Amino acid sequence: MKTQSSIAACNCFAIRQAARFVSQLYERHYARAEITAAQFSLMVYIAEVGKAGMAEMAEAMVMDRTTLVRALKPLERDGYVVSEPEGKGSRKLLLSLSANGQQKLSEGVECWHAAQAEYAELVGVERADNLREMLLAIPSGKAA
């Protein structure tokens, strides 16, 4: 059996190319709320868990801590995310959304709906649903 070594046969290339295309589509919509797709994802995660620890958040987002800290800095700087110690004397910080963060998230959700609709129109609802399920299964180890 001959192995094809063309870039077109590379799974990583195909996934990254598609990811860049989809990211650009979503970024265009999030620009109206003056946030990025990554910032929106971080705010959604924090909103869903209530108070997020850095280690748990890094694991859930499949990011190393350094990258996560860099991604959170603008959200903290702009007052959308606040951090507080887990308890008295604790070094562990918990992240939560401020009132401004909740408002910014609401703006982002409107943009997200528009991006989702454009993406679904582009690839089809069923195909979008199936692809999302397959992609989400990969980091969980359930892709087989």
Side-chain angles (χ1 to χ4, degrees), residues 47-63:
E48 286 181 356
V49 300
K51 292 189 183 235
M54 293 289 274
E56 298 83 9
M57 191 169 180
E59 183 178 339
M61 303 301 284
V62 191
M63 298 172 82

Side-chain angles (χ1 to χ4, degrees), residues 57-84:
M57 191 169 180
E59 183 178 339
M61 303 301 284
V62 191
M63 298 172 82
D64 62 68
R65 276 183 62 113
T66 303
T67 303
L68 178 60
V69 168
R70 272 196 308 265
L72 286 166
K73 278 192 187 296
L75 294 173
E76 290 181 297
R77 178 199 65 218
D78 295 341
Y80 303 139
V81 172
V82 294
S83 61
E84 60 187 46

Side-chain angles (χ1 to χ4, degrees), residues 27 29 52 71 89 100 126 139:
E27 293 288 355
H29 287 278
N100 286 343
E126 185 177 341

Side-chain angles (χ1 to χ4, degrees), residues 125-143:
V125 173
E126 185 177 341
R127 193 170 167 207
D129 290 345
N130 291 338
L131 180 59
R132 184 178 53 257
E133 286 177 27
M134 288 188 294
L135 291 172
L136 288 171
I138 293 171
S140 70
K142 298 177 183 170

Side-chain angles (χ1 to χ4, degrees), residues 22-58:
V22 173
S23 291
Q24 290 170 3
L25 182 153
Y26 278 74
E27 293 288 355
R28 186 169 23 87
H29 287 278
Y30 290 128
R32 291 194 331 258
E34 299 178 333
I35 57 173
T36 66
Q39 291 171 333
F40 178 76
S41 296
L42 294 173
M43 288 193 294
V44 166
Y45 178 82
I46 294 168
E48 286 181 356
V49 300
K51 292 189 183 235
M54 293 289 274
E56 298 83 9
M57 191 169 180

Side-chain angles (χ1 to χ4, degrees), residues 7 9 32 37 50 60 78 80 91 98 102 108 119 121 123 125 132-133:
I7 193 92
R32 291 194 331 258
D78 295 341
Y80 303 139
R91 292 181 60 203
S98 65
Q102 291 284 352
Y119 177 74
E121 184 177 322
V123 302
V125 173
R132 184 178 53 257
E133 286 177 27

